[in-house]
Coordinates of all heavy atoms in Angstrom, one line a residue:
G1580 N 13.4 7.6 -5.2 CA 12.5 6.5 -4.9 C 11.2 7.1 -4.5 O 11.0 8.2 -3.8
N1581 N 10.1 6.4 -4.8 CA 8.7 6.8 -4.4 C 8.0 5.5 -3.8 O 6.8 5.3 -4.3 CB 8.0 7.3 -5.7 CG 8.1 6.4 -6.9 OD1 9.2 6.4 -7.5 ND2 7.1 5.7 -7.2
G1582 N 8.6 4.8 -2.9 CA 7.9 3.7 -2.3 C 7.4 4.2 -0.8 O 7.1 5.3 -0.6
G1583 N 7.2 3.2 0.1 CA 6.7 3.5 1.4 C 7.5 4.3 2.3 O 7.0 5.3 2.8
A1584 N 8.8 4.2 2.2 CA 9.6 5.0 3.1 C 9.7 6.4 2.6 O 9.7 7.4 3.4 CB 11.1 4.5 3.0
A1585 N 9.6 6.7 1.3 CA 9.5 8.0 0.7 C 8.3 8.8 1.3 O 8.4 10.0 1.4 CB 9.5 8.0 -0.8
R1605 N 11.8 5.9 -11.1 CA 12.3 5.2 -12.3 C 11.0 4.9 -13.2 O 11.2 4.4 -14.3 CB 13.1 4.0 -12.0 CG 12.4 2.9 -11.3 CD 13.4 1.8 -11.1 NE 12.7 0.8 -10.2 CZ 13.1 -0.4 -10.0 NH1 14.3 -0.7 -10.4 NH2 12.5 -1.2 -9.2
N1606 N 9.9 4.8 -12.6 CA 8.6 4.2 -13.3 C 7.6 5.3 -13.4 O 7.0 5.7 -12.4 CB 8.2 3.0 -12.5 CG 7.0 2.4 -13.2 OD1 6.1 3.0 -13.8 ND2 6.9 1.0 -13.1
K1609 N 4.0 4.6 -12.0 CA 4.1 4.5 -10.5 C 4.2 6.0 -9.9 O 3.6 6.2 -8.9 CB 5.2 3.6 -10.0 CG 4.9 2.2 -10.0 CD 5.8 1.3 -9.2 CE 5.7 -0.1 -9.4 NZ 6.8 -0.9 -8.9
W1632 N 13.8 9.7 -13.7 CA 15.3 9.4 -13.3 C 16.2 10.2 -14.2 O 17.2 10.7 -13.8 CB 15.5 7.9 -13.4 CG 16.5 7.4 -12.4 CD1 17.9 7.2 -12.7 CD2 16.4 7.3 -11.0 NE1 18.6 6.9 -11.6 CE2 17.7 6.9 -10.5 CE3 15.4 7.4 -10.1 CZ2 17.9 6.5 -9.2 CZ3 15.6 7.1 -8.8 CH2 16.8 6.7 -8.3
T1648 N 15.9 6.7 -0.8 CA 14.9 5.8 -0.2 C 14.7 4.6 -1.0 O 13.7 3.7 -0.8 CB 13.4 6.5 -0.1 OG1 12.9 6.5 -1.3 CG2 13.6 7.8 0.5
T1649 N 15.6 4.4 -1.9 CA 15.6 3.1 -2.8 C 16.5 2.0 -2.0 O 17.3 2.4 -1.1 CB 16.2 3.2 -4.2 OG1 17.6 3.2 -4.1 CG2 15.7 4.6 -4.8
P1650 N 16.2 0.8 -2.3 CA 17.0 -0.3 -1.6 C 18.5 -0.5 -2.3 O 19.2 -1.3 -1.9 CB 16.1 -1.5 -1.8 CG 15.3 -1.3 -2.8 CD 15.2 0.2 -3.1
V1651 N 18.7 0.4 -3.2 CA 20.0 0.2 -4.1 C 21.2 0.5 -3.1 O 21.4 1.6 -2.5 CB 20.1 1.1 -5.3 CG1 21.4 0.8 -6.1 CG2 18.8 0.9 -6.2
M1653 N 21.9 -1.8 -0.6 CA 21.7 -2.6 0.6 C 22.5 -3.9 0.6 O 22.7 -4.4 -0.6 CB 20.2 -3.0 0.5 CG 19.4 -2.7 1.8 SD 17.7 -3.0 1.5 CE 17.3 -4.2 2.6
L1679 N 18.6 6.0 3.7 CA 17.7 5.3 4.7 C 18.2 3.9 5.0 O 17.8 3.2 6.0 CB 16.3 5.2 4.2 CG 15.4 6.3 4.7 CD1 16.0 7.7 4.5 CD2 13.9 6.2 4.1
I1680 N 19.1 3.3 4.2 CA 19.7 2.0 4.4 C 20.6 2.0 5.6 O 21.3 3.0 5.8 CB 20.5 1.6 3.1 CG1 19.5 1.4 1.9 CG2 21.3 0.2 3.4 CD1 20.4 1.2 0.5
Y1681 N 20.4 1.0 6.4 CA 21.3 0.9 7.6 C 22.4 -0.1 7.6 O 23.3 -0.2 8.4 CB 20.5 0.8 8.9 CG 19.3 -0.1 9.0 CD1 19.6 -1.5 9.2 CD2 18.1 0.4 8.6 CE1 18.4 -2.3 9.1 CE2 17.0 -0.5 8.6 CZ 17.2 -1.8 8.9 OH 16.1 -2.6 8.9
G1702 N 20.8 5.3 7.7 CA 19.5 4.9 8.1 C 19.4 4.3 9.5 O 18.3 4.3 10.1
L1703 N 20.5 4.0 10.1 CA 20.4 3.5 11.5 C 19.9 4.6 12.5 O 19.1 4.3 13.4 CB 21.9 3.2 12.0 CG 21.9 2.4 13.3 CD1 21.3 1.0 13.2 CD2 23.2 2.4 13.9
M1705 N 17.7 6.9 11.7 CA 16.4 7.0 11.5 C 15.6 5.9 12.2 O 14.6 6.1 12.9 CB 15.9 7.0 10.0 CG 14.5 7.0 9.7 SD 14.1 7.1 8.0 CE 12.4 6.6 8.0
L1706 N 16.2 4.7 12.1 CA 15.6 3.6 12.8 C 15.6 3.7 14.3 O 14.6 3.5 14.9 CB 16.5 2.3 12.4 CG 16.0 1.0 12.9 CD1 14.7 0.6 12.2 CD2 17.1 -0.2 12.6
Q1709 N 13.0 6.7 15.2 CA 11.5 6.4 15.1 C 11.2 5.4 16.3 O 10.0 5.5 16.8 CB 11.2 5.7 13.7 CG 11.8 4.4 13.4 CD 11.2 3.3 14.0 OE1 10.0 3.2 14.4 NE2 12.0 2.2 14.2
Ligands
NAP2528 P1 9.5 0.2 -1.3 O1 8.2 0.6 -0.9 O2 9.7 -1.1 -2.1 O3 10.1 1.4 -2.3 C1 11.3 1.3 -2.9 C2 11.5 2.4 -4.0 O4 12.8 2.3 -4.5 C3 10.4 2.3 -5.1 O5 10.1 3.6 -5.5 C4 11.3 1.6 -6.2 O6 10.9 1.8 -7.5 C5 12.7 2.2 -6.0 N1 13.7 1.4 -6.6 C6 13.9 0.1 -6.3 N2 15.0 -0.4 -6.9 C7 15.4 0.7 -7.7 C8 16.5 0.9 -8.7 N3 17.3 -0.1 -9.0 N4 16.6 2.1 -9.2 C9 15.8 3.2 -8.9 N5 14.8 3.0 -8.0 C10 14.6 1.8 -7.4 O7 10.6 0.1 -0.1 P2 10.5 1.1 1.2 O8 9.8 0.3 2.2 O9 10.2 2.4 0.8 O10 12.1 1.0 1.6 C11 13.1 1.5 1.0 C12 14.4 1.4 1.6 O11 14.3 2.2 2.8 C13 14.9 0.1 2.1 O12 16.3 -0.1 1.9 C14 14.6 0.0 3.6 O13 15.4 -0.9 4.3 C15 14.9 1.5 4.0 N6 14.1 1.9 5.1 C16 14.7 2.3 6.2 C17 14.0 2.7 7.3 C18 14.9 3.3 8.5 O14 14.3 3.5 9.5 N7 16.2 3.6 8.3 C19 12.7 2.8 7.3 C20 12.0 2.3 6.2 C21 12.7 1.9 5.1 P3 9.8 1.0 -8.3 O15 8.5 1.4 -7.4 O16 9.8 1.4 -9.6 O17 10.1 -0.4 -8.0

Side-chain angles (χ1 to χ4, degrees):
N1581 51 280
R1605 62 176 176 176
N1606 181 322
K1609 281 192 186 171
W1632 211 259
T1648 77
T1649 80
V1651 181
M1653 234 168 115
L1679 266 53
I1680 294 172
Y1681 43 84
L1703 189 74
M1705 173 174 171
L1706 184 68
Q1709 63 78 27

